[in-house]
Amino acid sequence: MEAKAWRLRREIPAGPAPWRALGEAWDLDPRAARLAWLRGADRPEDLAWRLDASWGRTTDPHLLPGVDAAVARIRRAVEARERIVIYGDYDVDGVTATALLVRALEKLGADVSFFIPNRFSDGYGLHLDCIRELKETRDPALLVSVDCGGRSAEDVRASAELGMDWVITDHHALGAELPPACAVVHPHLDGYANPFLAGVGVAFKLAQALIGAAPHPSGADAAFLDGLLKLVAIGTVADVMPLAGENALLVRRGLDALAGKNGPGLAALLRAAKKEGALGGQDIAFGLAPRLNAVGRMGGAEDAVRLLLTRDAAEAETLMARVEALNSERRAIQQELAARLPAPEGAFDLALDPTAHKGVIGIVAGQRMRASGRPAGVCTVIDGVAHGSLRAPDGYDLAELLALAQPFILGGGGHRAAAGLSFEASRFPFVRQALQRGAETQGEGRGRSALAVDGGPGDLPDGTNLARLEPFGQGFAPPLARIDGPLASVSAFGADHWKLRVAGLADPLTWFAGSDRPAQPVSGERISLAAGPQDSARWGRSWIVDAPLEAGEAVP
């Protein structure tokens, strides 16, 4: 791993501290106020979604386009005892959205079941073969999509001929034609106030309207919806949606709820991830989400939904054991692929490995994106067709880049930070060139790529004050300090991980093993590292190394 250039996250002007008003308005520790200001919070109201996450700030669910029509059709199905199938997706957003809507419809007394397409045999989205199979095996009168379906006009039209209605809920880029469904619930329609809802966030708004808890819930409805927000928090963070505005509020309430009593499935998931007490966004991103994602990455994702829904402790333990085994398998395959791919290159780093496991290409693309600071994609080949997963950092828009590659691809979709595409493998050079040209244009004016840090370790607040600013994630970056100095000690542990001590810093650092990590440093060697704080009520603060940094001054 090459040492990265670094810069302060935001230039601090001379004179009085510009974050003083934030600290005074919210009674924040000055270092916490500084951290928020570095992330663009210029006014006290910019932090209200995090620091006053009350129901009264949320948007009335009936303002989400399509909700009223969806509620009418679903309630009619419930009253008539029609069979309803929730048609989900195999990623964490889709899995949590599926579990959420099943739970909400169970509360209404609906005859409801769920279906998740297989990543390998079916692929993403609505498929007529799957729909016909559902007709034959379950004969539903109504299908409700979550986290998919927005571009599936033909499949919805064909379903009508089979005697089945659709309610579409989605958050991905829409096609030229809206599906002819009973309702299309989508945050990109009609200038909706929060266009950044995840698929599980859209499902939550529909659930809130279905149980009649609008404009804002109270009493038992509020408690029930806070339980659903646990799933919203997991799905929103996992899908790399911006944690700003209402998203920040929904995730914050979900994190707070996860710190309380949980059902057997979530409790087993938290134990497996070794998470206890108050949680943050990074606990989801690197603890809970990878485990749920592994199920759909390695096969069918149904067990992930069952884990989230089960009310039986024994069943939860059995399901969690399967999830852990799949996650271990996923990790090994992912590490092997990351090690054999060439180093990232170009304005858009698009790599193709014909034998890559389709279930892990998105994770490896994300790793390469973080390593280079540029958009990245990893592709595999199945029957002559390349299937790719793309990731992009802040400042880039994958939806726009996919539009530029449209003449060369068979299909694609997603959002700004994450997307997928398919194309004839022989057209790889043309697809790569189109994406690189687009990325060069989007990257103009960005200057030299540099890792943004928040100062030294003493510039960051303690764990209690840091937790007040949660959730950290997309759009509200996790804190990162530059740690510079001679190594006092270094030791290896576990699977070749390193435990470091830097002179002058009381807290230990952990540097996890990775294929692109440099040679082990030695005591007395001067190092410069970017590291994030890890706070524990039991063990205090430690630091997780993110990357080595170049010695010397920051990049302007």
Side-chain angles (χ1 to χ4, degrees):
M1 178 186 291
E2 292 185 4
K4 293 185 177 182
W6 62 279
R7 61 175 176 82
L8 190 62
R9 195 174 301 278
R10 186 178 183 185
E11 185 177 352
I12 300 174
W19 51 83
R20 182 181 298 171
L22 297 177
E24 292 174 349
W26 293 106
D27 192 26
L28 282 173
D29 174 272
R31 292 170 298 174
R34 176 183 177 275
L35 204 72
W37 181 86
L38 288 173
R39 283 151 182 73
D42 293 314
R43 306 165 301 166
E45 52 265 37
D46 294 335
L47 291 178
W49 298 98
R50 285 175 158 73
L51 299 177
D52 180 23
S54 60
W55 281 114
R57 291 189 180 277
T58 59
T59 305
D60 186 333
H62 291 286
L63 295 178
L64 179 59
V67 158
D68 287 347
V71 167
R73 180 62 186 92
I74 293 171
R75 283 181 175 169
R76 193 166 83 242
V78 173
E79 291 166 3
R81 297 298 298 163
E82 294 176 340
R83 290 177 182 166
I84 303 172
V85 172
I86 308 302
Y87 190 113
D89 184 32
Y90 40 70
D91 70 0
V92 177
D93 190 16
V95 163
T96 52
T98 300
L100 185 152
L101 212 48
V102 167
R103 187 67 82 221
L105 288 176
E106 286 177 343
K107 180 178 176 66
L108 297 177
D111 182 353
V112 60
S113 62
F114 70 88
F115 170 80
I116 306 288
N118 186 283
R119 181 188 295 266
F120 303 96
S121 59
D122 303 319
Y124 170 76
L126 276 52
H127 298 278
L128 193 53
D129 288 347
C130 297
I131 295 167
R132 287 178 176 142
E133 183 179 345
L134 288 171
K135 174 67 177 177
E136 293 172 3
T137 58
R138 305 189 205 179
D139 193 25
L142 177 64
L143 299 105
V144 182
S145 77
V146 291
D147 196 34
C148 62
R151 302 172 69 93
S152 301
E154 288 302 318
D155 296 297
V156 171
R157 195 172 286 115
S159 299
E161 296 175 2
L162 296 172
M164 295 181 290
D165 289 341
W166 276 95
V167 165
I168 299 292
T169 80
D170 197 2
H171 75 126
H172 296 96
L174 291 164
E177 177 190 4
L178 285 182
C182 298
V184 177
V185 185
H186 201 291
H188 296 179
L189 293 171
D190 301 338
Y192 180 65
N194 182 11
F196 301 116
L197 281 174
V200 69
V202 176
F204 173 81
K205 289 291 185 180
L206 175 58
Q208 183 182 353
L210 278 168
I211 69 171
H216 307 116
S218 60
D221 285 342
F224 176 73
L225 290 173
D226 271 327
L228 297 187
L229 283 179
K230 299 175 183 181
L231 301 176
V232 175
I234 295 170
T236 301
V237 171
D239 217 42
V240 203
M241 300 309 293
L243 300 182
E246 189 181 27
N247 273 7
L249 184 152
L250 299 176
V251 172
R252 178 57 187 258
R253 290 192 72 98
L255 289 171
D256 290 345
L258 279 166
K261 185 177 181 180
N262 293 292
L266 280 176
L269 181 62
L270 288 164
R271 283 195 301 272
K274 296 180 172 57
K275 303 299 179 184
E276 59 183 5
L279 297 182
Q282 298 304 282
D283 293 314
I284 291 175
F286 296 102
L288 308 187
R291 287 171 164 80
L292 291 176
N293 235 341
V295 187
R297 290 187 182 281
M298 305 309 297
E302 292 85 358
D303 276 350
V305 181
R306 295 187 186 107
L307 176 68
L308 295 174
L309 288 174
T310 185
R311 293 183 171 92
D312 181 86
E315 182 185 28
E317 291 303 322
T318 299
L319 289 168
M320 194 63 234
R322 291 182 201 163
V323 170
E324 282 293 86
L326 289 170
N327 191 43
S328 296
E329 181 184 357
R330 182 272 308 168
R331 190 182 296 114
I333 293 172
Q334 167 194 327
Q335 290 171 349
E336 194 275 331
L337 173 60
R340 73 171 185 257
L341 288 177
E345 61 179 5
F348 194 115
D349 166 44
L350 188 67
L352 185 145
D353 185 315
T355 64
H357 191 292
K358 189 179 180 183
V360 303
I361 56 177
I363 305 175
V364 177
Q367 291 176 334
R368 293 169 70 87
M369 178 270 291
R370 287 188 292 273
S372 69
R374 300 185 299 274
V378 178
C379 307
T380 188
V381 179
I382 302 172
D383 297 329
V385 175
H387 300 264
S389 189
L390 314 179
R391 298 292 184 270
D394 285 343
Y396 291 89
D397 188 336
L398 289 175
E400 289 183 2
L401 295 179
L402 280 178
L404 296 174
Q406 199 64 41
F408 311 111
I409 67 176
L410 299 174
H415 42 78
R416 297 177 68 93
L421 83 169
S422 61
F423 54 91
E424 294 176 6
S426 60
R427 294 197 140 195
F428 175 73
F430 304 103
V431 174
R432 180 171 58 183
Q433 185 178 58
L435 293 175
Q436 285 185 345
R437 286 178 175 175
E440 286 171 359
T441 300
Q442 290 188 357
E444 287 177 357
R446 287 172 60 93
R448 184 184 177 196
S449 178
L451 189 63
V453 300
D454 298 301
D459 293 316
L460 270 59
D462 62 22
T464 300
N465 285 291
L466 196 60
R468 291 191 63 191
L469 297 178
E470 287 284 359
F472 289 99
Q474 183 74 9
F476 201 81
L480 207 57
R482 177 176 179 261
I483 298 175
D484 183 83
L487 268 180
S489 66
V490 56
S491 59
F493 71 98
D496 197 29
H497 309 312
W498 301 336
K499 187 72 72 177
L500 312 175
R501 291 275 183 178
V502 175
L505 181 66
D507 312 319
L509 291 84
T510 300
W511 199 338
F512 289 108
S515 59
D516 56 352
R517 194 177 58 176
Q520 180 173 324
V522 296
S523 296
E525 179 181 345
R526 189 173 189 88
I527 59 170
S528 183
L529 302 170
Q534 183 115 344
D535 293 299
S536 165
R538 184 180 303 178
W539 308 112
R541 170 160 287 182
S542 60
W543 298 85
I544 305 297
V545 175
D546 182 86
L549 298 178
E550 294 179 354
E553 298 299 316
V555 171

